[in-house]
Amino acid sequence: MGLGSNLGKKEENIAKAVTLIEEQIGHVEAQSALYYSEPWGFTSDNQFVNAVVRVTTALTPSRLLRATQRIERQLGKTARHATERSQEAIYHDRPIDIDILLFDSLTIDTPKLKIPHPLMQERDFVMIPLREILL
């Protein structure tokens, strides 16, 4: 899973997300170092802190999505922080964002869930920490 935060105590938001993932989703097997990046897909004065975690879970992909969204809400993300209109995402500053990047070797393409994450290879702030935990 990819984690990102650019509002509030960003490093603390990432740490809290990892703790909640461990409590609500499954065992966090590996966590990358924190990676700092500029906003992607929108303009903001707030730099992002990003990380990637590898998790073992018994949840199905759809239940995993619901669990990550619940954790995002627990950490203060609202509908205003990331809005989707048709197929285009409109990005905003946010206290936390949790993306499912990969799920075993599954490929899923539904309106609500796409695995592998369709934009991950365009984002260094995802690929650099992802490579770190996959090695």
Side-chain angles (χ1 to χ4, degrees):
M1 284 184 263
L3 311 175
S5 175
N6 81 327
L7 285 180
K9 297 179 180 179
K10 299 176 274 196
E11 293 85 354
E12 189 176 306
N13 293 343
I14 298 293
K16 286 180 181 177
V18 172
T19 298
L20 291 171
I21 288 167
E22 183 82 34
E23 291 172 1
Q24 299 179 29
I25 292 175
H27 177 62
V28 176
E29 293 181 350
Q31 177 181 341
S32 73
L34 297 179
Y35 184 81
Y36 294 83
S37 65
E38 296 303 314
W40 189 95
F42 72 105
T43 302
S44 173
D45 293 334
N46 302 315
Q47 188 179 49
F48 270 86
V49 175
N50 302 97
V52 172
V53 294
R54 185 176 65 233
V55 179
T56 302
T57 185
L59 298 178
T60 64
S62 60
R63 286 183 178 233
L64 176 60
L65 177 62
R66 288 194 296 277
T68 60
Q69 291 169 339
R70 182 178 58 247
I71 291 169
E72 289 174 335
R73 287 189 304 275
Q74 286 179 280
L75 295 176
K77 186 174 180 179
T78 65
R80 180 184 65 78
H81 292 121
T83 309
E84 288 192 29
R85 285 190 200 141
S86 63
Q87 296 296 332
E88 293 185 30
I90 300 169
Y91 300 104
H92 302 278
D93 292 317
R94 50 200 167 276
I96 194 69
D97 190 41
I98 303 172
D99 289 331
I100 302 168
L101 303 174
L102 301 164
F103 195 110
D104 295 330
S105 59
L106 291 179
T107 299
I108 298 172
D109 189 1
T110 68
K112 291 187 178 189
L113 182 60
K114 297 185 185 319
I115 299 174
H117 191 287
L119 300 173
M120 70 182 197
Q121 293 192 11
E122 297 176 28
R123 300 171 173 176
D124 285 344
F125 61 85
V126 171
M127 295 308 294
I128 291 170
L130 180 61
R131 284 187 199 106
E132 179 184 326
I133 66 163
L134 292 179
L135 296 179

PDB file of all heavy atoms in Angstrom, residues 73-108:
ATOM      1  N   ARG A  73     -10.643   8.036   6.823  1.00  0.00           N
ATOM      2  CA  ARG A  73     -11.632   8.864   7.537  1.00  0.00           C
ATOM      3  C   ARG A  73     -11.242   9.038   9.004  1.00  0.00           C
ATOM      4  O   ARG A  73     -11.379  10.127   9.559  1.00  0.00           O
ATOM      5  CB  ARG A  73     -13.029   8.265   7.413  1.00  0.00           C
ATOM      6  CG  ARG A  73     -13.638   8.423   6.024  1.00  0.00           C
ATOM      7  CD  ARG A  73     -15.101   8.025   5.989  1.00  0.00           C
ATOM      8  NE  ARG A  73     -15.367   6.678   6.450  1.00  0.00           N
ATOM      9  CZ  ARG A  73     -15.285   5.580   5.689  1.00  0.00           C
ATOM     10  NH1 ARG A  73     -14.938   5.673   4.422  1.00  0.00           N
ATOM     11  NH2 ARG A  73     -15.540   4.393   6.202  1.00  0.00           N
ATOM     12  N   GLN A  74     -10.755   7.977   9.633  1.00  0.00           N
ATOM     13  CA  GLN A  74     -10.328   8.064  11.033  1.00  0.00           C
ATOM     14  C   GLN A  74      -9.221   9.099  11.210  1.00  0.00           C
ATOM     15  O   GLN A  74      -9.133   9.737  12.253  1.00  0.00           O
ATOM     16  CB  GLN A  74      -9.825   6.703  11.533  1.00  0.00           C
ATOM     17  CG  GLN A  74     -10.917   5.699  11.787  1.00  0.00           C
ATOM     18  CD  GLN A  74     -10.325   4.382  12.263  1.00  0.00           C
ATOM     19  OE1 GLN A  74      -9.846   3.594  11.458  1.00  0.00           O
ATOM     20  NE2 GLN A  74     -10.339   4.168  13.566  1.00  0.00           N
ATOM     21  N   LEU A  75      -8.389   9.251  10.202  1.00  0.00           N
ATOM     22  CA  LEU A  75      -7.266  10.172  10.281  1.00  0.00           C
ATOM     23  C   LEU A  75      -7.586  11.545   9.681  1.00  0.00           C
ATOM     24  O   LEU A  75      -6.679  12.352   9.483  1.00  0.00           O
ATOM     25  CB  LEU A  75      -6.034   9.557   9.622  1.00  0.00           C
ATOM     26  CG  LEU A  75      -5.500   8.316  10.340  1.00  0.00           C
ATOM     27  CD1 LEU A  75      -4.334   7.703   9.585  1.00  0.00           C
ATOM     28  CD2 LEU A  75      -5.092   8.654  11.776  1.00  0.00           C
ATOM     29  N   GLY A  76      -8.854  11.782   9.390  1.00  0.00           N
ATOM     30  CA  GLY A  76      -9.274  13.125   9.002  1.00  0.00           C
ATOM     31  C   GLY A  76      -9.499  13.386   7.536  1.00  0.00           C
ATOM     32  O   GLY A  76      -9.796  14.522   7.155  1.00  0.00           O
ATOM     33  N   LYS A  77      -9.374  12.382   6.685  1.00  0.00           N
ATOM     34  CA  LYS A  77      -9.638  12.610   5.271  1.00  0.00           C
ATOM     35  C   LYS A  77     -11.133  12.718   5.057  1.00  0.00           C
ATOM     36  O   LYS A  77     -11.907  11.926   5.589  1.00  0.00           O
ATOM     37  CB  LYS A  77      -9.063  11.475   4.412  1.00  0.00           C
ATOM     38  CG  LYS A  77      -9.186  11.733   2.919  1.00  0.00           C
ATOM     39  CD  LYS A  77      -8.472  10.657   2.126  1.00  0.00           C
ATOM     40  CE  LYS A  77      -8.592  10.917   0.644  1.00  0.00           C
ATOM     41  NZ  LYS A  77      -7.898   9.896  -0.137  1.00  0.00           N
ATOM     42  N   THR A  78     -11.532  13.708   4.287  1.00  0.00           N
ATOM     43  CA  THR A  78     -12.946  13.905   3.973  1.00  0.00           C
ATOM     44  C   THR A  78     -13.150  13.774   2.477  1.00  0.00           C
ATOM     45  O   THR A  78     -12.187  13.715   1.705  1.00  0.00           O
ATOM     46  CB  THR A  78     -13.421  15.301   4.427  1.00  0.00           C
ATOM     47  OG1 THR A  78     -12.724  16.283   3.643  1.00  0.00           O
ATOM     48  CG2 THR A  78     -13.158  15.531   5.910  1.00  0.00           C
ATOM     49  N   ALA A  79     -14.397  13.769   2.051  1.00  0.00           N
ATOM     50  CA  ALA A  79     -14.705  13.682   0.622  1.00  0.00           C
ATOM     51  C   ALA A  79     -14.093  14.861  -0.134  1.00  0.00           C
ATOM     52  O   ALA A  79     -13.734  14.745  -1.302  1.00  0.00           O
ATOM     53  CB  ALA A  79     -16.210  13.640   0.413  1.00  0.00           C
ATOM     54  N   ARG A  80     -13.926  15.998   0.532  1.00  0.00           N
ATOM     55  CA  ARG A  80     -13.359  17.182  -0.107  1.00  0.00           C
ATOM     56  C   ARG A  80     -11.884  16.991  -0.466  1.00  0.00           C
ATOM     57  O   ARG A  80     -11.372  17.593  -1.399  1.00  0.00           O
ATOM     58  CB  ARG A  80     -13.496  18.377   0.845  1.00  0.00           C
ATOM     59  CG  ARG A  80     -12.949  19.667   0.309  1.00  0.00           C
ATOM     60  CD  ARG A  80     -13.032  20.767   1.354  1.00  0.00           C
ATOM     61  NE  ARG A  80     -12.195  20.511   2.523  1.00  0.00           N
ATOM     62  CZ  ARG A  80     -10.881  20.696   2.570  1.00  0.00           C
ATOM     63  NH1 ARG A  80     -10.228  21.101   1.511  1.00  0.00           N
ATOM     64  NH2 ARG A  80     -10.216  20.478   3.690  1.00  0.00           N
ATOM     65  N   HIS A  81     -11.177  16.129   0.250  1.00  0.00           N
ATOM     66  CA  HIS A  81      -9.741  15.962   0.031  1.00  0.00           C
ATOM     67  C   HIS A  81      -9.404  15.254  -1.280  1.00  0.00           C
ATOM     68  O   HIS A  81      -8.323  15.442  -1.815  1.00  0.00           O
ATOM     69  CB  HIS A  81      -9.099  15.204   1.201  1.00  0.00           C
ATOM     70  CG  HIS A  81      -9.091  15.994   2.464  1.00  0.00           C
ATOM     71  ND1 HIS A  81      -9.701  15.553   3.601  1.00  0.00           N
ATOM     72  CD2 HIS A  81      -8.573  17.208   2.761  1.00  0.00           C
ATOM     73  CE1 HIS A  81      -9.547  16.457   4.559  1.00  0.00           C
ATOM     74  NE2 HIS A  81      -8.862  17.467   4.065  1.00  0.00           N
ATOM     75  N   ALA A  82     -10.270  14.424  -1.788  1.00  0.00           N
ATOM     76  CA  ALA A  82     -10.030  13.753  -3.071  1.00  0.00           C
ATOM     77  C   ALA A  82     -11.382  13.422  -3.680  1.00  0.00           C
ATOM     78  O   ALA A  82     -12.152  12.673  -3.108  1.00  0.00           O
ATOM     79  CB  ALA A  82      -9.213  12.484  -2.894  1.00  0.00           C
ATOM     80  N   THR A  83     -11.646  14.007  -4.804  1.00  0.00           N
ATOM     81  CA  THR A  83     -12.939  13.853  -5.449  1.00  0.00           C
ATOM     82  C   THR A  83     -12.731  13.226  -6.813  1.00  0.00           C
ATOM     83  O   THR A  83     -11.780  13.552  -7.502  1.00  0.00           O
ATOM     84  CB  THR A  83     -13.606  15.230  -5.625  1.00  0.00           C
ATOM     85  OG1 THR A  83     -13.578  15.905  -4.374  1.00  0.00           O
ATOM     86  CG2 THR A  83     -15.026  15.104  -6.104  1.00  0.00           C
ATOM     87  N   GLU A  84     -13.642  12.358  -7.183  1.00  0.00           N
ATOM     88  CA  GLU A  84     -13.577  11.790  -8.529  1.00  0.00           C
ATOM     89  C   GLU A  84     -14.814  12.221  -9.299  1.00  0.00           C
ATOM     90  O   GLU A  84     -15.930  12.136  -8.804  1.00  0.00           O
ATOM     91  CB  GLU A  84     -13.505  10.266  -8.484  1.00  0.00           C
ATOM     92  CG  GLU A  84     -12.176   9.776  -7.997  1.00  0.00           C
ATOM     93  CD  GLU A  84     -12.000   8.299  -8.222  1.00  0.00           C
ATOM     94  OE1 GLU A  84     -12.583   7.772  -9.184  1.00  0.00           O
ATOM     95  OE2 GLU A  84     -11.282   7.679  -7.439  1.00  0.00           O
ATOM     96  N   ARG A  85     -14.571  12.712 -10.512  1.00  0.00           N
ATOM     97  CA  ARG A  85     -15.658  13.022 -11.433  1.00  0.00           C
ATOM     98  C   ARG A  85     -15.452  12.148 -12.647  1.00  0.00           C
ATOM     99  O   ARG A  85     -14.432  12.280 -13.321  1.00  0.00           O
ATOM    100  CB  ARG A  85     -15.620  14.500 -11.849  1.00  0.00           C
ATOM    101  CG  ARG A  85     -16.090  15.410 -10.774  1.00  0.00           C
ATOM    102  CD  ARG A  85     -16.267  16.802 -11.323  1.00  0.00           C
ATOM    103  NE  ARG A  85     -16.239  17.715 -10.201  1.00  0.00           N
ATOM    104  CZ  ARG A  85     -15.662  18.890 -10.212  1.00  0.00           C
ATOM    105  NH1 ARG A  85     -15.069  19.333 -11.280  1.00  0.00           N
ATOM    106  NH2 ARG A  85     -15.687  19.650  -9.141  1.00  0.00           N
ATOM    107  N   SER A  86     -16.402  11.313 -12.919  1.00  0.00           N
ATOM    108  CA  SER A  86     -16.300  10.303 -13.974  1.00  0.00           C
ATOM    109  C   SER A  86     -14.984   9.548 -13.800  1.00  0.00           C
ATOM    110  O   SER A  86     -14.754   8.977 -12.759  1.00  0.00           O
ATOM    111  CB  SER A  86     -16.459  10.932 -15.362  1.00  0.00           C
ATOM    112  OG  SER A  86     -15.424  11.848 -15.622  1.00  0.00           O
ATOM    113  N   GLN A  87     -14.105   9.572 -14.792  1.00  0.00           N
ATOM    114  CA  GLN A  87     -12.857   8.815 -14.702  1.00  0.00           C
ATOM    115  C   GLN A  87     -11.682   9.660 -14.217  1.00  0.00           C
ATOM    116  O   GLN A  87     -10.595   9.158 -14.029  1.00  0.00           O
ATOM    117  CB  GLN A  87     -12.514   8.204 -16.071  1.00  0.00           C
ATOM    118  CG  GLN A  87     -13.513   7.185 -16.557  1.00  0.00           C
ATOM    119  CD  GLN A  87     -13.578   5.958 -15.672  1.00  0.00           C
ATOM    120  OE1 GLN A  87     -12.614   5.591 -15.027  1.00  0.00           O
ATOM    121  NE2 GLN A  87     -14.721   5.320 -15.628  1.00  0.00           N
ATOM    122  N   GLU A  88     -11.885  10.969 -14.034  1.00  0.00           N
ATOM    123  CA  GLU A  88     -10.778  11.836 -13.658  1.00  0.00           C
ATOM    124  C   GLU A  88     -10.792  12.138 -12.176  1.00  0.00           C
ATOM    125  O   GLU A  88     -11.787  12.578 -11.636  1.00  0.00           O
ATOM    126  CB  GLU A  88     -10.850  13.148 -14.443  1.00  0.00           C
ATOM    127  CG  GLU A  88     -10.605  12.970 -15.923  1.00  0.00           C
ATOM    128  CD  GLU A  88     -10.564  14.301 -16.637  1.00  0.00           C
ATOM    129  OE1 GLU A  88     -10.170  15.306 -16.015  1.00  0.00           O
ATOM    130  OE2 GLU A  88     -10.938  14.322 -17.807  1.00  0.00           O
ATOM    131  N   ALA A  89      -9.681  11.918 -11.536  1.00  0.00           N
ATOM    132  CA  ALA A  89      -9.547  12.259 -10.123  1.00  0.00           C
ATOM    133  C   ALA A  89      -9.133  13.716 -10.013  1.00  0.00           C
ATOM    134  O   ALA A  89      -8.326  14.202 -10.799  1.00  0.00           O
ATOM    135  CB  ALA A  89      -8.522  11.360  -9.449  1.00  0.00           C
ATOM    136  N   ILE A  90      -9.704  14.396  -9.046  1.00  0.00           N
ATOM    137  CA  ILE A  90      -9.323  15.769  -8.754  1.00  0.00           C
ATOM    138  C   ILE A  90      -8.654  15.734  -7.395  1.00  0.00           C
ATOM    139  O   ILE A  90      -9.274  15.389  -6.394  1.00  0.00           O
ATOM    140  CB  ILE A  90     -10.553  16.690  -8.751  1.00  0.00           C
ATOM    141  CG1 ILE A  90     -11.211  16.633 -10.118  1.00  0.00           C
ATOM    142  CG2 ILE A  90     -10.151  18.110  -8.384  1.00  0.00           C
ATOM    143  CD1 ILE A  90     -12.564  17.280 -10.174  1.00  0.00           C
ATOM    144  N   TYR A  91      -7.372  16.063  -7.358  1.00  0.00           N
ATOM    145  CA  TYR A  91      -6.592  15.915  -6.149  1.00  0.00           C
ATOM    146  C   TYR A  91      -6.569  17.197  -5.331  1.00  0.00           C
ATOM    147  O   TYR A  91      -6.609  18.294  -5.877  1.00  0.00           O
ATOM    148  CB  TYR A  91      -5.152  15.497  -6.503  1.00  0.00           C
ATOM    149  CG  TYR A  91      -5.083  14.188  -7.236  1.00  0.00           C
ATOM    150  CD1 TYR A  91      -4.859  14.148  -8.602  1.00  0.00           C
ATOM    151  CD2 TYR A  91      -5.259  12.997  -6.556  1.00  0.00           C
ATOM    152  CE1 TYR A  91      -4.803  12.936  -9.274  1.00  0.00           C
ATOM    153  CE2 TYR A  91      -5.199  11.783  -7.219  1.00  0.00           C
ATOM    154  CZ  TYR A  91      -4.970  11.764  -8.585  1.00  0.00           C
ATOM    155  OH  TYR A  91      -4.921  10.569  -9.252  1.00  0.00           O
ATOM    156  N   HIS A  92      -6.481  17.024  -4.025  1.00  0.00           N
ATOM    157  CA  HIS A  92      -6.426  18.132  -3.078  1.00  0.00           C
ATOM    158  C   HIS A  92      -5.427  17.773  -1.977  1.00  0.00           C
ATOM    159  O   HIS A  92      -5.044  16.627  -1.823  1.00  0.00           O
ATOM    160  CB  HIS A  92      -7.798  18.350  -2.420  1.00  0.00           C
ATOM    161  CG  HIS A  92      -8.898  18.621  -3.387  1.00  0.00           C
ATOM    162  ND1 HIS A  92      -9.128  19.862  -3.921  1.00  0.00           N
ATOM    163  CD2 HIS A  92      -9.844  17.811  -3.920  1.00  0.00           C
ATOM    164  CE1 HIS A  92     -10.161  19.805  -4.741  1.00  0.00           C
ATOM    165  NE2 HIS A  92     -10.613  18.572  -4.764  1.00  0.00           N
ATOM    166  N   ASP A  93      -5.057  18.799  -1.181  1.00  0.00           N
ATOM    167  CA  ASP A  93      -4.281  18.532   0.022  1.00  0.00           C
ATOM    168  C   ASP A  93      -5.064  17.563   0.895  1.00  0.00           C
ATOM    169  O   ASP A  93      -6.300  17.587   0.909  1.00  0.00           O
ATOM    170  CB  ASP A  93      -4.058  19.831   0.804  1.00  0.00           C
ATOM    171  CG  ASP A  93      -3.152  20.811   0.077  1.00  0.00           C
ATOM    172  OD1 ASP A  93      -2.133  20.378  -0.488  1.00  0.00           O
ATOM    173  OD2 ASP A  93      -3.469  22.014   0.090  1.00  0.00           O
ATOM    174  N   ARG A  94      -4.351  16.695   1.640  1.00  0.00           N
ATOM    175  CA  ARG A  94      -5.046  15.725   2.486  1.00  0.00           C
ATOM    176  C   ARG A  94      -4.151  15.259   3.627  1.00  0.00           C
ATOM    177  O   ARG A  94      -2.938  15.156   3.455  1.00  0.00           O
ATOM    178  CB  ARG A  94      -5.527  14.539   1.680  1.00  0.00           C
ATOM    179  CG  ARG A  94      -4.474  13.906   0.786  1.00  0.00           C
ATOM    180  CD  ARG A  94      -5.169  13.087  -0.296  1.00  0.00           C
ATOM    181  NE  ARG A  94      -4.351  12.661  -1.381  1.00  0.00           N
ATOM    182  CZ  ARG A  94      -4.050  13.382  -2.452  1.00  0.00           C
ATOM    183  NH1 ARG A  94      -4.437  14.621  -2.550  1.00  0.00           N
ATOM    184  NH2 ARG A  94      -3.344  12.882  -3.439  1.00  0.00           N
ATOM    185  N   PRO A  95      -4.771  14.947   4.756  1.00  0.00           N
ATOM    186  CA  PRO A  95      -3.983  14.478   5.896  1.00  0.00           C
ATOM    187  C   PRO A  95      -3.428  13.073   5.670  1.00  0.00           C
ATOM    188  O   PRO A  95      -2.369  12.735   6.193  1.00  0.00           O
ATOM    189  CB  PRO A  95      -4.955  14.517   7.066  1.00  0.00           C
ATOM    190  CG  PRO A  95      -6.315  14.486   6.449  1.00  0.00           C
ATOM    191  CD  PRO A  95      -6.183  15.120   5.094  1.00  0.00           C
ATOM    192  N   ILE A  96      -4.127  12.260   4.896  1.00  0.00           N
ATOM    193  CA  ILE A  96      -3.659  10.902   4.611  1.00  0.00           C
ATOM    194  C   ILE A  96      -4.312  10.400   3.335  1.00  0.00           C
ATOM    195  O   ILE A  96      -5.448  10.758   3.030  1.00  0.00           O
ATOM    196  CB  ILE A  96      -3.950   9.920   5.786  1.00  0.00           C
ATOM    197  CG1 ILE A  96      -3.157   8.608   5.628  1.00  0.00           C
ATOM    198  CG2 ILE A  96      -5.442   9.657   5.900  1.00  0.00           C
ATOM    199  CD1 ILE A  96      -1.675   8.750   5.813  1.00  0.00           C
ATOM    200  N   ASP A  97      -3.569   9.617   2.608  1.00  0.00           N
ATOM    201  CA  ASP A  97      -4.087   8.929   1.432  1.00  0.00           C
ATOM    202  C   ASP A  97      -3.479   7.538   1.470  1.00  0.00           C
ATOM    203  O   ASP A  97      -2.272   7.389   1.695  1.00  0.00           O
ATOM    204  CB  ASP A  97      -3.678   9.668   0.160  1.00  0.00           C
ATOM    205  CG  ASP A  97      -4.393   9.148  -1.067  1.00  0.00           C
ATOM    206  OD1 ASP A  97      -5.602   8.874  -0.971  1.00  0.00           O
ATOM    207  OD2 ASP A  97      -3.747   9.019  -2.125  1.00  0.00           O
ATOM    208  N   ILE A  98      -4.316   6.538   1.286  1.00  0.00           N
ATOM    209  CA  ILE A  98      -3.844   5.155   1.280  1.00  0.00           C
ATOM    210  C   ILE A  98      -4.296   4.527  -0.031  1.00  0.00           C
ATOM    211  O   ILE A  98      -5.498   4.460  -0.308  1.00  0.00           O
ATOM    212  CB  ILE A  98      -4.408   4.343   2.473  1.00  0.00           C
ATOM    213  CG1 ILE A  98      -4.053   5.017   3.798  1.00  0.00           C
ATOM    214  CG2 ILE A  98      -3.892   2.907   2.424  1.00  0.00           C
ATOM    215  CD1 ILE A  98      -4.722   4.392   5.006  1.00  0.00           C
ATOM    216  N   ASP A  99      -3.344   4.101  -0.832  1.00  0.00           N
ATOM    217  CA  ASP A  99      -3.648   3.472  -2.117  1.00  0.00           C
ATOM    218  C   ASP A  99      -3.227   2.012  -2.092  1.00  0.00           C
ATOM    219  O   ASP A  99      -2.131   1.676  -1.626  1.00  0.00           O
ATOM    220  CB  ASP A  99      -2.886   4.160  -3.256  1.00  0.00           C
ATOM    221  CG  ASP A  99      -3.405   5.547  -3.563  1.00  0.00           C
ATOM    222  OD1 ASP A  99      -4.603   5.803  -3.342  1.00  0.00           O
ATOM    223  OD2 ASP A  99      -2.604   6.382  -4.032  1.00  0.00           O
ATOM    224  N   ILE A 100      -4.091   1.163  -2.601  1.00  0.00           N
ATOM    225  CA  ILE A 100      -3.737  -0.243  -2.806  1.00  0.00           C
ATOM    226  C   ILE A 100      -2.949  -0.291  -4.109  1.00  0.00           C
ATOM    227  O   ILE A 100      -3.489   0.030  -5.169  1.00  0.00           O
ATOM    228  CB  ILE A 100      -4.985  -1.137  -2.876  1.00  0.00           C
ATOM    229  CG1 ILE A 100      -5.811  -0.998  -1.606  1.00  0.00           C
ATOM    230  CG2 ILE A 100      -4.578  -2.590  -3.132  1.00  0.00           C
ATOM    231  CD1 ILE A 100      -7.196  -1.627  -1.699  1.00  0.00           C
ATOM    232  N   LEU A 101      -1.693  -0.647  -4.027  1.00  0.00           N
ATOM    233  CA  LEU A 101      -0.835  -0.658  -5.208  1.00  0.00           C
ATOM    234  C   LEU A 101      -0.876  -2.008  -5.911  1.00  0.00           C
ATOM    235  O   LEU A 101      -1.048  -2.080  -7.126  1.00  0.00           O
ATOM    236  CB  LEU A 101       0.603  -0.328  -4.810  1.00  0.00           C
ATOM    237  CG  LEU A 101       0.796   1.004  -4.082  1.00  0.00           C
ATOM    238  CD1 LEU A 101       2.238   1.138  -3.608  1.00  0.00           C
ATOM    239  CD2 LEU A 101       0.385   2.163  -4.963  1.00  0.00           C
ATOM    240  N   LEU A 102      -0.702  -3.061  -5.142  1.00  0.00           N
ATOM    241  CA  LEU A 102      -0.668  -4.430  -5.646  1.00  0.00           C
ATOM    242  C   LEU A 102      -1.412  -5.327  -4.663  1.00  0.00           C
ATOM    243  O   LEU A 102      -1.510  -4.992  -3.478  1.00  0.00           O
ATOM    244  CB  LEU A 102       0.776  -4.930  -5.776  1.00  0.00           C
ATOM    245  CG  LEU A 102       1.697  -4.132  -6.688  1.00  0.00           C
ATOM    246  CD1 LEU A 102       3.158  -4.498  -6.418  1.00  0.00           C
ATOM    247  CD2 LEU A 102       1.332  -4.375  -8.140  1.00  0.00           C
ATOM    248  N   PHE A 103      -1.907  -6.446  -5.145  1.00  0.00           N
ATOM    249  CA  PHE A 103      -2.540  -7.443  -4.275  1.00  0.00           C
ATOM    250  C   PHE A 103      -2.185  -8.796  -4.864  1.00  0.00           C
ATOM    251  O   PHE A 103      -2.792  -9.223  -5.856  1.00  0.00           O
ATOM    252  CB  PHE A 103      -4.058  -7.243  -4.230  1.00  0.00           C
ATOM    253  CG  PHE A 103      -4.738  -7.973  -3.110  1.00  0.00           C
ATOM    254  CD1 PHE A 103      -5.278  -7.282  -2.045  1.00  0.00           C
ATOM    255  CD2 PHE A 103      -4.852  -9.362  -3.120  1.00  0.00           C
ATOM    256  CE1 PHE A 103      -5.921  -7.942  -1.004  1.00  0.00           C
ATOM    257  CE2 PHE A 103      -5.476 -10.039  -2.095  1.00  0.00           C
ATOM    258  CZ  PHE A 103      -6.018  -9.324  -1.029  1.00  0.00           C
ATOM    259  N   ASP A 104      -1.168  -9.417  -4.278  1.00  0.00           N
ATOM    260  CA  ASP A 104      -0.632 -10.664  -4.837  1.00  0.00           C
ATOM    261  C   ASP A 104      -0.387 -10.449  -6.331  1.00  0.00           C
ATOM    262  O   ASP A 104       0.180  -9.445  -6.711  1.00  0.00           O
ATOM    263  CB  ASP A 104      -1.558 -11.844  -4.548  1.00  0.00           C
ATOM    264  CG  ASP A 104      -1.666 -12.151  -3.058  1.00  0.00           C
ATOM    265  OD1 ASP A 104      -0.686 -11.909  -2.327  1.00  0.00           O
ATOM    266  OD2 ASP A 104      -2.741 -12.614  -2.616  1.00  0.00           O
ATOM    267  N   SER A 105      -0.867 -11.347  -7.161  1.00  0.00           N
ATOM    268  CA  SER A 105      -0.696 -11.174  -8.610  1.00  0.00           C
ATOM    269  C   SER A 105      -2.024 -10.845  -9.285  1.00  0.00           C
ATOM    270  O   SER A 105      -2.162 -10.992 -10.501  1.00  0.00           O
ATOM    271  CB  SER A 105      -0.089 -12.439  -9.222  1.00  0.00           C
ATOM    272  OG  SER A 105      -0.937 -13.544  -8.961  1.00  0.00           O
ATOM    273  N   LEU A 106      -2.987 -10.374  -8.497  1.00  0.00           N
ATOM    274  CA  LEU A 106      -4.316 -10.075  -9.033  1.00  0.00           C
ATOM    275  C   LEU A 106      -4.324  -8.848  -9.931  1.00  0.00           C
ATOM    276  O   LEU A 106      -3.569  -7.904  -9.721  1.00  0.00           O
ATOM    277  CB  LEU A 106      -5.304  -9.827  -7.896  1.00  0.00           C
ATOM    278  CG  LEU A 106      -5.697 -11.009  -7.021  1.00  0.00           C
ATOM    279  CD1 LEU A 106      -6.673 -10.544  -5.947  1.00  0.00           C
ATOM    280  CD2 LEU A 106      -6.322 -12.105  -7.859  1.00  0.00           C
ATOM    281  N   THR A 107      -5.200  -8.906 -10.909  1.00  0.00           N
ATOM    282  CA  THR A 107      -5.533  -7.740 -11.721  1.00  0.00           C
ATOM    283  C   THR A 107      -7.024  -7.505 -11.546  1.00  0.00           C
ATOM    284  O   THR A 107      -7.826  -8.421 -11.778  1.00  0.00           O
ATOM    285  CB  THR A 107      -5.208  -7.968 -13.204  1.00  0.00           C
ATOM    286  OG1 THR A 107      -3.800  -8.205 -13.326  1.00  0.00           O
ATOM    287  CG2 THR A 107      -5.604  -6.774 -14.049  1.00  0.00           C
ATOM    288  N   ILE A 108      -7.380  -6.306 -11.103  1.00  0.00           N
ATOM    289  CA  ILE A 108      -8.777  -5.941 -10.885  1.00  0.00           C
ATOM    290  C   ILE A 108      -9.019  -4.623 -11.592  1.00  0.00           C
ATOM    291  O   ILE A 108      -8.223  -3.688 -11.450  1.00  0.00           O
ATOM    292  CB  ILE A 108      -9.103  -5.819  -9.382  1.00  0.00           C
ATOM    293  CG1 ILE A 108      -8.885  -7.158  -8.700  1.00  0.00           C
ATOM    294  CG2 ILE A 108     -10.528  -5.308  -9.170  1.00  0.00           C
ATOM    295  CD1 ILE A 108      -8.993  -7.118  -7.188  1.00  0.00           C
TER     296      ILE A 108
END
